[in-house]
Short mmCIF file of all heavy atoms in Angstrom, two decimals:
data_model
loop_
_atom_site.label_atom_id
_atom_site.label_comp_id
_atom_site.label_asym_id
_atom_site.label_seq_id
_atom_site.Cartn_x
_atom_site.Cartn_y
_atom_site.Cartn_z
N VAL Z 105 -142.83 -89.50 149.09
CA VAL Z 105 -144.18 -89.14 149.52
C VAL Z 105 -144.07 -88.31 150.79
O VAL Z 105 -143.42 -88.72 151.76
CB VAL Z 105 -145.06 -90.39 149.75
CG1 VAL Z 105 -146.44 -89.98 150.22
CG2 VAL Z 105 -145.14 -91.22 148.47
N TYR Z 106 -144.70 -87.15 150.76
CA TYR Z 106 -144.71 -86.22 151.89
C TYR Z 106 -146.11 -86.09 152.46
O TYR Z 106 -147.09 -86.27 151.75
CB TYR Z 106 -144.24 -84.83 151.44
CG TYR Z 106 -142.76 -84.73 151.22
CD1 TYR Z 106 -142.20 -85.03 149.99
CD2 TYR Z 106 -141.92 -84.33 152.25
CE1 TYR Z 106 -140.83 -84.92 149.78
CE2 TYR Z 106 -140.56 -84.22 152.04
CZ TYR Z 106 -140.02 -84.52 150.82
OH TYR Z 106 -138.67 -84.42 150.63
N ARG Z 107 -146.17 -85.71 153.73
CA ARG Z 107 -147.45 -85.43 154.39
C ARG Z 107 -147.48 -83.95 154.76
O ARG Z 107 -146.51 -83.41 155.28
CB ARG Z 107 -147.60 -86.28 155.65
CG ARG Z 107 -148.90 -86.02 156.38
CD ARG Z 107 -149.05 -86.92 157.58
NE ARG Z 107 -150.24 -86.57 158.32
CZ ARG Z 107 -151.01 -87.43 158.94
NH1 ARG Z 107 -150.69 -88.72 158.92
NH2 ARG Z 107 -152.08 -87.03 159.58
N VAL Z 108 -148.61 -83.32 154.47
CA VAL Z 108 -148.85 -81.92 154.82
C VAL Z 108 -150.22 -81.85 155.47
O VAL Z 108 -151.20 -82.28 154.88
CB VAL Z 108 -148.79 -81.00 153.58
CG1 VAL Z 108 -149.24 -79.60 153.92
CG2 VAL Z 108 -147.39 -81.00 152.98
N ASP Z 109 -150.27 -81.34 156.69
CA ASP Z 109 -151.58 -81.19 157.33
C ASP Z 109 -151.78 -79.81 157.95
O ASP Z 109 -152.69 -79.61 158.76
CB ASP Z 109 -151.84 -82.31 158.35
CG ASP Z 109 -150.69 -82.56 159.28
OD1 ASP Z 109 -149.85 -81.66 159.47
OD2 ASP Z 109 -150.62 -83.66 159.83
N ALA Z 110 -150.94 -78.85 157.55
CA ALA Z 110 -151.12 -77.45 157.94
C ALA Z 110 -150.96 -76.61 156.67
O ALA Z 110 -149.90 -76.58 156.07
CB ALA Z 110 -150.09 -77.06 158.98
N PHE Z 111 -152.05 -75.95 156.28
CA PHE Z 111 -152.04 -75.20 155.02
C PHE Z 111 -153.17 -74.21 155.01
O PHE Z 111 -154.06 -74.24 155.87
CB PHE Z 111 -152.18 -76.16 153.82
CG PHE Z 111 -153.28 -77.16 153.99
CD1 PHE Z 111 -154.60 -76.83 153.76
CD2 PHE Z 111 -152.99 -78.45 154.44
CE1 PHE Z 111 -155.61 -77.76 153.97
CE2 PHE Z 111 -153.99 -79.38 154.64
CZ PHE Z 111 -155.30 -79.03 154.40
N GLU Z 112 -153.11 -73.32 154.04
CA GLU Z 112 -154.20 -72.39 153.78
C GLU Z 112 -154.52 -72.43 152.30
O GLU Z 112 -153.68 -72.86 151.50
CB GLU Z 112 -153.83 -70.97 154.23
CG GLU Z 112 -152.57 -70.44 153.63
CD GLU Z 112 -152.09 -69.15 154.29
OE1 GLU Z 112 -152.23 -69.00 155.50
OE2 GLU Z 112 -151.56 -68.31 153.54
N ALA Z 113 -155.71 -72.02 151.97
CA ALA Z 113 -156.14 -72.05 150.57
C ALA Z 113 -155.58 -70.85 149.82
O ALA Z 113 -155.50 -69.75 150.35
CB ALA Z 113 -157.66 -72.05 150.48
N GLY Z 114 -155.18 -71.09 148.60
CA GLY Z 114 -154.69 -70.05 147.71
C GLY Z 114 -155.06 -70.42 146.28
O GLY Z 114 -155.72 -71.43 146.05
N PRO Z 115 -154.61 -69.64 145.32
CA PRO Z 115 -154.93 -69.95 143.92
C PRO Z 115 -154.05 -71.07 143.39
O PRO Z 115 -152.88 -71.17 143.73
CB PRO Z 115 -154.63 -68.64 143.19
CG PRO Z 115 -153.57 -67.99 144.03
CD PRO Z 115 -153.86 -68.40 145.46
N SER Z 116 -154.63 -71.94 142.57
CA SER Z 116 -153.83 -72.97 141.92
C SER Z 116 -153.31 -72.43 140.60
O SER Z 116 -153.84 -71.47 140.05
CB SER Z 116 -154.65 -74.24 141.69
OG SER Z 116 -155.63 -74.01 140.73
N ASP Z 117 -152.26 -73.05 140.11
CA ASP Z 117 -151.66 -72.65 138.84
C ASP Z 117 -151.26 -73.91 138.11
O ASP Z 117 -150.09 -74.16 137.87
CB ASP Z 117 -150.45 -71.75 139.10
CG ASP Z 117 -149.81 -71.27 137.81
OD1 ASP Z 117 -150.48 -71.29 136.76
OD2 ASP Z 117 -148.62 -70.89 137.85
N SER Z 118 -152.25 -74.73 137.78
CA SER Z 118 -151.96 -76.05 137.21
C SER Z 118 -151.62 -76.01 135.73
O SER Z 118 -151.32 -77.04 135.15
CB SER Z 118 -153.13 -77.00 137.45
OG SER Z 118 -154.25 -76.58 136.70
N ARG Z 119 -151.68 -74.84 135.11
CA ARG Z 119 -151.34 -74.68 133.70
C ARG Z 119 -152.10 -75.68 132.81
O ARG Z 119 -151.52 -76.23 131.88
CB ARG Z 119 -149.84 -74.81 133.49
CG ARG Z 119 -149.05 -73.75 134.20
CD ARG Z 119 -147.57 -73.87 133.87
NE ARG Z 119 -146.81 -73.10 134.81
CZ ARG Z 119 -146.15 -73.62 135.85
NH1 ARG Z 119 -146.16 -74.91 136.07
NH2 ARG Z 119 -145.47 -72.85 136.66
N GLY Z 120 -153.32 -75.96 133.16
CA GLY Z 120 -154.14 -76.84 132.34
C GLY Z 120 -153.90 -78.32 132.52
O GLY Z 120 -154.47 -79.13 131.81
N GLU Z 121 -153.06 -78.70 133.50
CA GLU Z 121 -152.77 -80.13 133.65
C GLU Z 121 -153.72 -80.82 134.64
O GLU Z 121 -153.78 -82.03 134.67
CB GLU Z 121 -151.30 -80.32 134.04
CG GLU Z 121 -151.01 -80.59 135.48
CD GLU Z 121 -149.53 -80.77 135.76
OE1 GLU Z 121 -148.78 -79.80 135.73
OE2 GLU Z 121 -149.14 -81.91 136.06
N ILE Z 122 -154.50 -80.07 135.41
CA ILE Z 122 -155.41 -80.65 136.39
C ILE Z 122 -156.85 -80.40 135.95
O ILE Z 122 -157.26 -79.28 135.70
CB ILE Z 122 -155.18 -80.05 137.80
CG1 ILE Z 122 -153.74 -80.28 138.25
CG2 ILE Z 122 -156.17 -80.62 138.80
CD1 ILE Z 122 -153.33 -81.74 138.34
N ASP Z 123 -157.61 -81.50 135.89
CA ASP Z 123 -159.01 -81.44 135.48
C ASP Z 123 -159.93 -81.22 136.68
O ASP Z 123 -160.94 -80.54 136.57
CB ASP Z 123 -159.36 -82.75 134.76
CG ASP Z 123 -160.79 -82.77 134.28
OD1 ASP Z 123 -161.22 -81.80 133.64
OD2 ASP Z 123 -161.49 -83.76 134.55
N ALA Z 124 -159.58 -81.82 137.84
CA ALA Z 124 -160.43 -81.71 139.02
C ALA Z 124 -159.58 -81.89 140.27
O ALA Z 124 -158.56 -82.59 140.26
CB ALA Z 124 -161.53 -82.77 138.98
N VAL Z 125 -160.02 -81.24 141.35
CA VAL Z 125 -159.39 -81.33 142.66
C VAL Z 125 -160.52 -81.53 143.67
O VAL Z 125 -161.53 -80.83 143.61
CB VAL Z 125 -158.62 -80.03 142.99
CG1 VAL Z 125 -158.03 -80.08 144.38
CG2 VAL Z 125 -157.56 -79.75 141.96
N ASP Z 126 -160.34 -82.48 144.61
CA ASP Z 126 -161.40 -82.69 145.59
C ASP Z 126 -160.85 -83.37 146.84
O ASP Z 126 -159.79 -83.99 146.80
CB ASP Z 126 -162.52 -83.54 145.00
CG ASP Z 126 -163.88 -83.24 145.62
OD1 ASP Z 126 -163.95 -82.58 146.68
OD2 ASP Z 126 -164.89 -83.66 145.02
N TRP Z 127 -161.60 -83.24 147.92
CA TRP Z 127 -161.28 -83.91 149.19
C TRP Z 127 -162.07 -85.20 149.29
O TRP Z 127 -163.24 -85.24 148.92
CB TRP Z 127 -161.67 -83.01 150.37
CG TRP Z 127 -160.84 -81.77 150.48
CD1 TRP Z 127 -161.19 -80.51 150.08
CD2 TRP Z 127 -159.55 -81.66 151.06
NE1 TRP Z 127 -160.18 -79.64 150.37
CE2 TRP Z 127 -159.16 -80.31 150.97
CE3 TRP Z 127 -158.67 -82.59 151.64
CZ2 TRP Z 127 -157.93 -79.86 151.45
CZ3 TRP Z 127 -157.45 -82.13 152.11
CH2 TRP Z 127 -157.09 -80.79 152.01
N PHE Z 128 -161.42 -86.25 149.83
CA PHE Z 128 -162.08 -87.55 149.97
C PHE Z 128 -161.78 -88.14 151.33
O PHE Z 128 -160.66 -88.02 151.85
CB PHE Z 128 -161.58 -88.53 148.89
CG PHE Z 128 -161.95 -88.12 147.50
CD1 PHE Z 128 -161.06 -87.38 146.73
CD2 PHE Z 128 -163.18 -88.46 146.96
CE1 PHE Z 128 -161.39 -87.00 145.45
CE2 PHE Z 128 -163.51 -88.08 145.68
CZ PHE Z 128 -162.62 -87.34 144.91
N ASP Z 129 -162.77 -88.82 151.89
CA ASP Z 129 -162.56 -89.60 153.09
C ASP Z 129 -161.70 -90.80 152.69
O ASP Z 129 -162.04 -91.50 151.73
CB ASP Z 129 -163.91 -90.07 153.64
CG ASP Z 129 -163.79 -90.82 154.95
OD1 ASP Z 129 -162.96 -91.76 155.04
OD2 ASP Z 129 -164.53 -90.47 155.88
N PRO Z 130 -160.60 -91.07 153.40
CA PRO Z 130 -159.72 -92.19 153.01
C PRO Z 130 -160.41 -93.55 153.01
O PRO Z 130 -159.97 -94.47 152.33
CB PRO Z 130 -158.61 -92.16 154.04
CG PRO Z 130 -158.66 -90.82 154.65
CD PRO Z 130 -160.07 -90.33 154.52
N SER Z 131 -161.52 -93.68 153.74
CA SER Z 131 -162.24 -94.96 153.77
C SER Z 131 -163.32 -95.03 152.69
O SER Z 131 -164.00 -96.05 152.57
CB SER Z 131 -162.87 -95.18 155.15
OG SER Z 131 -163.86 -94.20 155.40
N ASP Z 132 -163.48 -93.96 151.91
CA ASP Z 132 -164.51 -93.92 150.88
C ASP Z 132 -163.95 -93.22 149.63
O ASP Z 132 -164.44 -92.19 149.22
CB ASP Z 132 -165.74 -93.18 151.41
CG ASP Z 132 -166.91 -93.29 150.47
OD1 ASP Z 132 -166.99 -94.25 149.69
OD2 ASP Z 132 -167.77 -92.38 150.52
N LEU Z 133 -162.93 -93.84 149.04
CA LEU Z 133 -162.27 -93.27 147.87
C LEU Z 133 -163.05 -93.59 146.60
O LEU Z 133 -163.74 -94.60 146.53
CB LEU Z 133 -160.85 -93.83 147.75
CG LEU Z 133 -159.91 -93.48 148.89
CD1 LEU Z 133 -158.61 -94.28 148.75
CD2 LEU Z 133 -159.64 -92.00 148.95
N PRO Z 134 -162.93 -92.76 145.57
CA PRO Z 134 -163.58 -93.08 144.30
C PRO Z 134 -163.00 -94.37 143.71
O PRO Z 134 -161.83 -94.70 143.98
CB PRO Z 134 -163.27 -91.88 143.40
CG PRO Z 134 -162.33 -91.02 144.13
CD PRO Z 134 -162.19 -91.50 145.53
N PRO Z 135 -163.77 -95.10 142.95
CA PRO Z 135 -163.29 -96.39 142.42
C PRO Z 135 -162.10 -96.27 141.47
O PRO Z 135 -161.33 -97.21 141.33
CB PRO Z 135 -164.51 -96.96 141.70
CG PRO Z 135 -165.44 -95.82 141.50
CD PRO Z 135 -165.14 -94.80 142.55
#
Side-chain angles (χ1 to χ4, degrees):
V105 179
Y106 284 89
R107 179 177 175 145
V108 171
D109 47 22
F111 47 80
E112 55 191 37
S116 68
D117 181 20
S118 68
R119 297 184 195 101
E121 101 180 72
I122 302 300
D123 181 50
V125 177
D126 209 346
W127 293 101
F128 295 94
D129 184 310
S131 65
D132 189 25
L133 297 171

